[in-house]
Amino acid sequence: MNEALRCAGLTCLKLLNDAGYEAWWVGGCVRDGLIGRPVQDIDITTSALPEQTMECFQSQGHTVIPTGIKHGTVTVMMQNFPIEITVYRTDRDYQDHRHPHSIQFVRSLKEDCARRDFTVNALCWHPELGLQDYFGGQQDLKMKSIRCIGNPCQRLDEDALRILRALRFSAALDFTIESETHAALFQKKELLRVLSAERIAREIEKMVIGRRWPEVFTVYHELLAVLFPQLPALQSPAAIQKAFGAFRLCPRITLPRLACFFLVSQQTPLAFCLDQAQRWSRQLKLSKHDRKSLTQLVQNQNRPLPKNRIDLRRLIYELPDLSTEWIQLQQALRRLSAKQAGQWIAAIEEIQSSDCLTLKQLAVNGYDLIAAGCPKTEISVCLNQALSAVIEDQVPNQKEALLTYIQQQAKPES
């Protein structure tokens, strides 16, 4: 764990303890610390009410943000780290399979842990009191198992997002899903329809880069079909198998992994895959940049492999932000070995650092063309022609050579 983050988290515990309240690290920070994964943030659960937590930290000069105060959560800025602190609570009367209709603040750590989703996420730790584990989370960590706390169907019925979280944790932690929880995921899969597009997108983006994602996809693709029945990767057993193979070979990078959902096959021609990628990315409300990037990767999935430096330049020019991801997708499609993909990515990085690939890197600009007598209306066309010629090694990226080339291109044919 980052030592500064650890120090910030310990300071929060000490301030709450010194003020007379119980406080524990809880959830992912404890889980990941126990299995040696990087800890990205720290969550704290405490007996202090939200107003008491705010007073405790504000009185010491720390910034406190009431991020979810009606649910008992505030965020404390401690040494530039945002640390969420939530009062012990229980959730009651889930009416929309997503949010509790009401919550009740409680005084018991065990009651607070009982409301959580999976045993491995209900572990608590304190530097003096050690580890608190009410539901067998340590054993499940040893067994590499994702298991709901209590009745799995009830847990999933309370919050449908837990279905996707189970898949995400299985993929990311390289854990299997315990049998009763596994059965409940299929029994409650229709609840996925209540989830917002944004939450679905965030979970999928995290789960697809997990180490175990290929296996999770193969076992649980029926759950994804509830959300995305037209997804090309789900259209036939052959499509599922092809996607599995691509996921297995693809580096754990988000965009190439997402593109593996839209692979061309006999059942799914390029036009269908491209249309579905556009619809899917809009449905999930991906950013404009990510929508464009995913569409470009899908559209260019079977682009001819480069044969030389000029072809690599052209690839970088036409896919300026995606050339590395395109290479990774080719690795997933078995068109390149991992070794070849690494060599090509290194070549792309070298070309990007040394070769002229953009108009800004061109040795001439619009002012040079105007001074040479080029009409203003033709400047853009001439500059792009010149850049293309440099990329194709038809002319060196030198001012005089480029001006001569542009003048020759402008001469009428005899």
Side-chain angles (χ1 to χ4, degrees), residues 58-110:
Q58 288 175 337
S59 66
Q60 299 296 316
H62 299 289
T63 299
V64 184
I65 307 165
T67 45
I69 196 163
K70 71 178 178 175
H71 295 105
T73 300
V74 299
T75 300
V76 173
M77 296 304 300
M78 180 63 64
Q79 301 169 24
N80 295 320
F81 292 103
I83 295 181
E84 282 196 357
I85 302 177
T86 303
V87 63
Y88 297 164
R89 75 181 205 201
T90 59
D91 301 331
R92 297 178 179 273
D93 304 323
Y94 286 80
Q95 294 185 343
D96 61 357
H97 304 291
R98 182 69 186 95
H99 304 98
H101 182 262
S102 64
I103 64 170
Q104 180 179 345
F105 299 156
V106 296
R107 308 299 293 179
S108 163
L109 175 63
K110 184 175 182 179

Side-chain angles (χ1 to χ4, degrees), residues 343-359:
Q343 292 170 339
W344 284 26
I345 289 172
I348 285 172
E349 291 173 352
E350 187 272 322
I351 290 171
Q352 287 174 323
S353 68
S354 62
D355 291 14
C356 174
L357 301 166
T358 67
L359 292 176

Side-chain angles (χ1 to χ4, degrees), residues 65-213:
I65 307 165
T67 45
I69 196 163
K70 71 178 178 175
H71 295 105
T73 300
V74 299
T75 300
V76 173
M77 296 304 300
M78 180 63 64
Q79 301 169 24
N80 295 320
F81 292 103
I83 295 181
E84 282 196 357
I85 302 177
T86 303
V87 63
Y88 297 164
R89 75 181 205 201
T90 59
D91 301 331
R92 297 178 179 273
D93 304 323
Y94 286 80
Q95 294 185 343
D96 61 357
H97 304 291
R98 182 69 186 95
H99 304 98
H101 182 262
S102 64
I103 64 170
Q104 180 179 345
F105 299 156
V106 296
R107 308 299 293 179
S108 163
L109 175 63
K110 184 175 182 179
E111 284 186 88
D112 179 79
C113 290
R115 73 177 172 83
R116 298 177 184 272
D117 51 9
F118 308 111
T119 61
V120 296
N121 291 338
L123 294 164
C124 305
W125 178 84
H126 187 281
E128 297 174 4
L129 302 175
L131 195 67
Q132 189 62 267
D133 176 15
Y134 295 107
F135 303 104
Q138 293 179 83
Q139 181 63 22
D140 285 334
L141 282 181
K142 291 178 182 177
M143 298 296 291
K144 295 190 172 184
S145 178
I146 301 298
R147 178 167 60 92
C148 282
I149 294 172
N151 184 304
C153 286
Q154 180 183 341
R155 287 280 87 83
L156 302 180
D157 196 66
E158 290 170 346
D159 185 353
L161 187 65
R162 289 170 176 167
I163 299 172
L164 294 184
R165 282 169 61 83
L167 302 189
R168 192 240 296 180
F169 287 129
S170 177
L173 301 177
D174 198 12
F175 283 16
T176 57
I177 297 176
E178 174 269 337
S179 60
E180 291 187 9
T181 302
H182 167 91
L185 293 176
F186 286 94
Q187 186 174 338
K188 294 294 182 178
K189 66 182 181 179
E190 293 299 323
L191 295 179
L192 289 169
R193 301 184 192 279
V194 308
L195 299 178
S196 71
E198 292 87 351
R199 293 313 300 262
I200 293 169
R202 300 296 81 78
E203 291 298 325
I204 286 179
E205 288 173 339
K206 293 175 183 177
M207 74 174 68
V208 298
I209 59 173
R211 185 179 302 279
R212 198 169 185 273
W213 169 244

Side-chain angles (χ1 to χ4, degrees), residues 396-414:
N397 187 29
Q398 299 169 0
K399 184 174 181 178
E400 294 303 321
L402 286 169
L403 288 175
T404 299
Y405 172 82
I406 291 169
Q407 290 169 350
Q408 289 174 343
Q409 294 299 112
K411 289 180 180 179
E413 295 184 3
S414 56

Side-chain angles (χ1 to χ4, degrees), residues 107-348:
R107 308 299 293 179
S108 163
L109 175 63
K110 184 175 182 179
E111 284 186 88
D112 179 79
C113 290
R115 73 177 172 83
R116 298 177 184 272
D117 51 9
F118 308 111
T119 61
V120 296
N121 291 338
L123 294 164
C124 305
W125 178 84
H126 187 281
E128 297 174 4
L129 302 175
L131 195 67
Q132 189 62 267
D133 176 15
Y134 295 107
F135 303 104
Q138 293 179 83
Q139 181 63 22
D140 285 334
L141 282 181
K142 291 178 182 177
M143 298 296 291
K144 295 190 172 184
S145 178
I146 301 298
R147 178 167 60 92
C148 282
I149 294 172
N151 184 304
C153 286
Q154 180 183 341
R155 287 280 87 83
L156 302 180
D157 196 66
E158 290 170 346
D159 185 353
L161 187 65
R162 289 170 176 167
I163 299 172
L164 294 184
R165 282 169 61 83
L167 302 189
R168 192 240 296 180
F169 287 129
S170 177
L173 301 177
D174 198 12
F175 283 16
T176 57
I177 297 176
E178 174 269 337
S179 60
E180 291 187 9
T181 302
H182 167 91
L185 293 176
F186 286 94
Q187 186 174 338
K188 294 294 182 178
K189 66 182 181 179
E190 293 299 323
L191 295 179
L192 289 169
R193 301 184 192 279
V194 308
L195 299 178
S196 71
E198 292 87 351
R199 293 313 300 262
I200 293 169
R202 300 296 81 78
E203 291 298 325
I204 286 179
E205 288 173 339
K206 293 175 183 177
M207 74 174 68
V208 298
I209 59 173
R211 185 179 302 279
R212 198 169 185 273
W213 169 244
E215 291 75 20
V216 171
F217 168 77
T218 302
V219 175
Y220 296 100
H221 60 82
E222 287 181 33
L223 277 61
L224 294 181
V226 173
L227 295 171
F228 315 113
Q230 296 300 309
L231 202 64
L234 304 178
Q235 295 311 298
S236 69
I240 292 169
Q241 186 59 38
K242 183 173 182 177
F244 165 77
F247 286 130
R248 188 170 56 84
L249 293 175
C250 188
R252 291 186 289 133
I253 308 297
T254 303
L255 278 172
R257 280 276 175 104
L258 291 180
C260 291
F261 282 124
F262 305 94
L263 300 181
V264 171
S265 68
Q266 288 185 340
Q267 296 82 13
T268 54
L270 179 58
F272 176 77
C273 292
L274 191 57
D275 176 70
Q276 289 303 312
Q278 293 168 338
R279 290 173 182 267
W280 187 83
S281 57
R282 287 196 301 268
Q283 178 184 347
L284 291 188
K285 301 182 180 180
L286 301 186
S287 68
K288 185 177 180 180
H289 175 270
D290 286 348
R291 290 201 304 270
K292 180 181 178 182
S293 297
L294 178 60
T295 300
Q296 286 182 314
L297 277 181
V298 172
Q299 186 171 23
N300 286 276
Q301 61 183 275
N302 289 327
R303 176 192 178 111
L305 295 175
K307 297 178 181 178
N308 50 45
R309 190 180 186 91
I310 292 175
D311 288 348
L312 281 173
R313 285 189 198 135
R314 182 60 66 183
L315 173 68
I316 300 167
Y317 174 70
E318 294 178 3
L319 299 175
D321 300 322
L322 289 171
S323 52
T324 294
E325 287 82 355
W326 184 84
I327 294 295
Q328 291 162 336
L329 181 57
Q330 302 313 300
Q331 179 181 334
L333 292 171
R334 294 185 173 90
R335 300 177 77 195
L336 292 174
S337 68
K339 181 179 179 180
Q340 288 172 318
Q343 292 170 339
W344 284 26
I345 289 172
I348 285 172

